[in-house]
Amino acid sequence: MLLAYTGGMEAGQKVESVIVATGNAGKIREIEEALGGLNWQLDGLGGLTLPEETGATYEENAALKACSVALATGRPALADDSGLEVAALNGEPGVYSARFGNRPSDLERNLYLLERMRNQPDRRAKFVSVVVLAYPDGVVEEYRGEVAGVLLEGPRGESGFGYDPLFLPDGHERTFAEMTTEEKRALSHRGRALEALRLAHQSGQARQHYQGKAGGRLE
Ligand SMILES: O=c1[nH]cnc2c1ncn2[C@@H]1O[C@H](COP(=O)(O)OP(=O)(O)O)[C@@H](O)[C@H]1O
Ligand SMILES: [Mg+2]
């Protein structure tokens, strides 16, 4: 996929309805709550399937998902690609977080992560989220958020999804799975990326943001 800025539809225009291009229920909930203030109508994927994540980066995968849905539906689409990067594992699982160790569920991936981290004193990790808003003409806006923390030696908490029960954000005493969605949103990688998107649109600065970042047209 080639991304190059060529102008086109203005970012920051009034977006009336946006398709949330994810099948991950945890992400949908967080996106709906984070963008509530924008007055956008957020719709689900319906029967659409997402493309395979063949990109090497979060940016590429988020753009793949958002652009394919925007092109298929003729409506703006928003996608998140995210992952957990563990220092002692040289940044694994990273972009492969959703299929870490080929384990099929959050629970099994968490157990696998704990196993890989057994007797490992360096527990540092970070979450990364890249959110892409793609318009049907191929223009995209991109927002990135990160949060640093440490991995526990066992799960704590019931809320959230994915690796939340193992992740303790720096400066806090509860895992993401022990926080309310509001608390998590204020700190989290996805919360930060979505807040940047929300502010850019609320203030009408989306176009400037877009021009300074990796926006572009799908060729
Ligand atoms: O906020 C989070 N909390 C816990 N785990 C997360 C979070 N964000 C991403 N992850 C992990 O990274 C994976 C990211 O997967 P990806 O963005 O490719 O696709 P998905 O939407 O199909 O899950 C998630 O499945 C989850 O395991
Ligand atoms: Mg992915």
Side-chain angles (χ1 to χ4, degrees):
M1 182 170 59
L2 180 64
L3 286 174
Y5 178 74
T6 56
M9 186 186 291
E10 290 211 353
Q13 66 187 293
K14 186 160 169 40
V15 178
E16 278 166 8
S17 77
V18 172
I19 301 192
V20 180
T22 178
N24 180 321
K27 286 186 184 180
I28 293 173
R29 199 169 47 242
E30 292 184 9
I31 291 166
E32 281 175 344
E33 290 191 18
L35 300 186
L38 279 179
N39 259 337
W40 290 358
Q41 182 190 319
L42 299 176
D43 292 321
L45 273 175
L48 277 179
T49 49
L50 291 170
E52 212 188 314
E53 292 187 17
T54 52
T57 62
Y58 305 110
E59 283 79 4
E60 284 174 20
N61 283 335
L64 266 175
K65 293 187 269 193
C67 291
S68 90
V69 171
L71 292 174
T73 59
R75 290 169 55 189
L78 185 133
D80 160 287
D81 196 56
S82 45
L84 178 71
E85 301 185 357
V86 181
L89 302 178
N90 298 315
E92 269 193 275
V95 289
Y96 305 109
S97 293
R99 39 195 152 134
F100 191 30
N102 273 322
R103 302 299 196 274
S105 68
D106 282 347
L107 178 64
E108 286 159 284
R109 285 188 286 273
N110 281 343
L111 291 173
Y112 179 67
L113 177 60
L114 286 174
E115 181 59 31
R116 292 281 304 271
M117 291 296 287
R118 193 140 52 135
N119 298 325
Q120 173 55 254
D122 178 1
R123 315 292 301 182
R124 290 171 302 143
K126 69 174 178 180
F127 272 123
V128 181
S129 160
V130 173
V131 168
V132 164
L133 177 61
Y135 299 86
D137 71 348
V139 170
V140 301
E141 296 168 32
E142 180 189 287
Y143 303 86
R144 187 184 179 100
E146 300 189 0
V147 58
V150 291
L151 294 175
L152 299 181
E153 286 170 7
R156 272 182 15 203
E158 304 290 330
S159 54
F161 67 97
Y163 304 99
D164 278 347
L166 298 180
F167 186 82
L168 194 65
D170 285 347
H172 295 267
E173 290 179 356
R174 283 172 299 142
T175 67
F176 275 167
E178 292 174 309
M179 295 182 179
T180 63
T181 46
E182 276 166 87
E183 288 172 313
K184 179 182 170 187
R185 170 155 44 96
L187 304 170
S188 79
H189 49 314
R190 184 167 305 99
R192 287 176 173 162
L194 290 167
E195 182 63 5
L197 180 153
R198 192 186 67 77
L199 285 172
H201 280 267
Q202 201 156 55
S203 66
Q205 297 302 301
R207 182 172 175 79
Q208 282 89 324
H209 175 92
Y210 160 60
Q211 284 181 318
K213 297 274 192 165
R217 176 182 288 275
L218 188 62
E219 304 274 347

